[in-house]
Amino acid sequence: NRAMAPVQNKKIGPLSDDEMEGLMAGLGPFECDPHIAVAVSGGPDSLALTLLCKNWVDKRDGSLSALSIDHGLRKGSSHELKKLGEWLLARGIDHIVLKWKGKKPLTGLQATARIARYDLLENWCRKNDVLHLLLGHQQDDQAETFLMRLAHKSRVDGLAGMADVVEKKYVRILRPLLTTPKDRLCATLKAAKQPWLEDPSNKNMEFERVRVRNALPTLVELGLAPVTICETVGRMALMRIALEAE
């Protein structure tokens, strides 16, 4: 639990290794020679996190496993993950693809896929004795989550947004980038001359998150930029902590 709301990152340009050190320091402690896992889809957020984590573990004589999920929902996804694996191999990063098997639901697909994704990731970590699983959610994602929960009339628990540390039965889920703007992650990849994948579903207006994301530019004009929204999320998180303590 934090005594202060997390400070939102307002810098521009690539994220430095020193900044990553600071972000990770707030999520520890970590074991000696840490073996950590990162969920990577190939998009800019998770791929930038993976490259930053590679530098972080190398300084500690640790190891990194990059985990991708093949949902089997979209034609061409296997080819994309193969390309992602080639990029990661060239950087000395171990890449593992986990497949979501079985029948897929006709309704509630995104929610079901999310549950299946977390189950696959957490089970792999448990079986391989990996304590820390890192996710690439960033400042813009946090703002979108807040707006979606606000629309659904969430209370303090929901409006406090995604937590940077979640203690599960077998694994600690860490989100070190929640205070980092997406633009900085794209800049990090460009500085490393690393291309990334674009998921077509990110443009599908049937999904609520996509509709919220497309509305953000209008909100920015009204003074509701993601960084501003996330400052409110931080204050809600402090309120949640106070209520839990009481």
Side-chain angles (χ1 to χ4, degrees):
N1 292 349
R2 300 180 184 280
M4 298 176 60
V7 177
Q8 300 300 311
N9 193 320
K10 299 179 182 180
K11 297 180 181 179
I12 60 174
L15 201 69
S16 70
D17 288 342
D18 285 344
E19 287 178 280
M20 185 62 179
E21 288 282 341
L23 292 173
M24 292 292 281
L27 306 180
F30 296 92
E31 62 273 33
C32 296
D33 308 327
H35 180 189
I36 66 173
V38 179
V40 56
S41 65
D45 308 337
S46 61
L47 189 51
L49 176 61
T50 303
L51 267 56
L52 290 163
C53 283
K54 172 62 174 170
N55 295 338
W56 186 86
V57 298
D58 284 350
K59 290 180 180 179
R60 290 162 175 77
D61 294 323
S63 56
L64 172 66
S65 295
L67 310 180
S68 296
I69 306 298
D70 187 352
H71 295 90
L73 297 173
R74 183 168 51 81
K75 197 172 182 179
S77 60
S78 296
H79 175 74
E80 291 172 355
L81 290 178
K82 182 179 178 181
K83 183 64 178 176
L84 173 61
E86 292 171 355
W87 289 339
L88 295 176
L89 178 62
R91 295 181 179 273
I93 299 172
D94 188 28
H95 184 228
I96 299 99
V97 177
L98 307 173
K99 293 191 176 183
W100 180 24
K101 299 177 181 179
K103 291 184 178 181
K104 310 300 189 291
L106 297 177
T107 59
L109 182 58
Q110 270 206 324
T112 305
R114 181 181 181 276
I115 293 170
R117 182 163 59 248
Y118 277 90
D119 284 346
L120 286 167
L121 293 168
E122 291 175 30
N123 284 332
W124 185 93
C125 289
R126 177 179 59 83
K127 291 176 182 177
N128 290 275
D129 295 321
V130 173
L131 179 59
H132 296 100
L133 169 65
L134 278 69
L135 306 181
H137 296 119
Q138 33 77 7
Q139 190 182 82
D140 297 39
D141 295 323
Q142 185 75 295
E144 292 163 8
T145 297
F146 174 85
L147 292 171
M148 289 165 60
R149 292 179 179 180
L150 186 65
H152 290 279
K153 302 179 181 178
S154 292
R155 298 187 179 184
V156 171
D157 266 4
L159 298 180
M162 294 179 281
D164 54 1
V165 178
V166 178
E167 305 279 356
K168 307 287 280 187
K169 187 173 183 179
Y170 298 107
V171 66
R172 298 180 77 232
I173 294 178
L174 309 181
R175 296 183 175 94
L177 302 178
L178 285 178
T179 58
T180 303
K182 184 183 185 72
D183 288 349
R184 296 204 66 198
L185 300 176
C186 292
T188 300
L189 292 179
K190 290 176 181 177
K193 295 182 170 54
Q194 174 61 60
W196 61 83
L197 302 174
E198 294 288 355
D199 186 347
S201 65
N202 288 334
K203 298 180 180 179
N204 189 341
M205 293 295 285
E206 293 182 8
F207 299 136
E208 181 184 18
R209 184 172 291 274
V210 176
R211 295 195 298 272
V212 170
R213 185 172 300 153
N214 286 346
L216 274 176
T218 301
L219 295 180
V220 170
E221 294 175 4
L222 298 174
L224 290 173
V227 63
T228 305
I229 295 171
C230 287
E231 287 170 351
T232 297
V233 173
R235 289 191 285 272
M236 288 290 182
L238 289 179
M239 190 180 298
R240 177 175 64 187
I241 290 169
L243 289 171
E244 287 173 351
E246 185 178 333

